[in-house]
Amino acid sequence: EVQLVESGGGLEKPGRSLRLSCEASGFTFGDYAMSWFRQAPGKGLEWVAFIRKKADGGTIDYAASVKGRFTISRDDSKSIAYLQMDSLKTEDTAVYYCVRDSGTYHYFDYWGQGTLVTVSS
Amino acid sequence: EIVMTQSPATLSVSPGERATLFCRASQSVRSNLAWYQQKPGQAPRLLIYGASTRATGIPARFSGSGSGTEFTLTISSLQSEDFAVYYCQQYNNWPLTFGGGTKVEIK
């Protein structure tokens, strides 16, 4: 059974940093691209960051709203994806989801339950 | 950036009735469109990809159609568990973008 478990969320002040982790199980992690999405309270879904599998170069894409502040990475030996969030803003407050890419095309077949990040002074 | 627009924002339907949800893209996304269902307090669940292919385990009452800029999600006979918010997502271009969602509520 595919499982994605996020951790690392919490309350942080503007300008500070947080690192989210996503532990994956039930599939060969290194064979899949991974992504982070977020959902602000009462709002819709927003794609945040994407990292390809090593076989596809491991390249990365970011949403404009987080580019230069957030860093996605992966450790295939541990089956963990990370999202380093620096220079946090109040508008980064959201539930953050770790998500598995389906494969050839970028729709997403497995989602974690999410971790809440609250940025407030 | 491709803007995805969903309509209506809210759809009131009685159990057993048919629901039709719409999603429009600001430019062609070919058939690179997915639909997700999200219930309160839960993560989204993939329903449809490739505009019309049901994901694993999705009941046949869910169907998708369309290509280019106009897409439709139809739920043929609403069950109690189908009342939720539905999102479309295009994956033809970066950045990946979602529609604002359609809430299907009990009439």
Side-chain angles (χ1 to χ4, degrees), chain A residues 37 39 43-45 47 50 52 97 105-109 111-113, chain B residues 32 34 36 38 41-44 46 49 87 89 91 94-96 98:
Chain A
F37 290 78
Q39 187 169 36
K43 301 298 184 183
L45 297 166
W47 166 71
F50 183 90
R52 292 167 183 79
Y97 293 102
Y105 297 97
H106 306 311
Y107 56 89
F108 300 90
D109 53 3
W111 296 61
Q113 278 305 111
Chain B
N32 295 320
Y36 300 86
Q38 188 178 33
Q42 295 185 19
L46 176 68
Y49 61 90
Y87 294 96
Q89 176 230 329
Y91 50 93
W94 294 93
L96 308 176
F98 288 86

Side-chain angles (χ1 to χ4, degrees), chain B residues 45 47-48 54-63 74 81-82:
Chain B
R45 176 175 71 145
L47 296 177
I48 301 282
R54 280 190 301 279
T56 302
I58 301 304
R61 64 180 181 272
F62 291 91
S63 63
T74 302
E81 62 265 31
D82 300 335

Side-chain angles (χ1 to χ4, degrees), chain A residues 28 30 43-44 54 61 64 72 84-85 100 105-106 111 114:
Chain A
T28 304
K43 301 298 184 183
K54 294 281 197 298
D61 287 288
I72 189 172
Q84 176 68 39
M85 303 187 295
R100 190 184 85 166
Y105 297 97
H106 306 311
W111 296 61

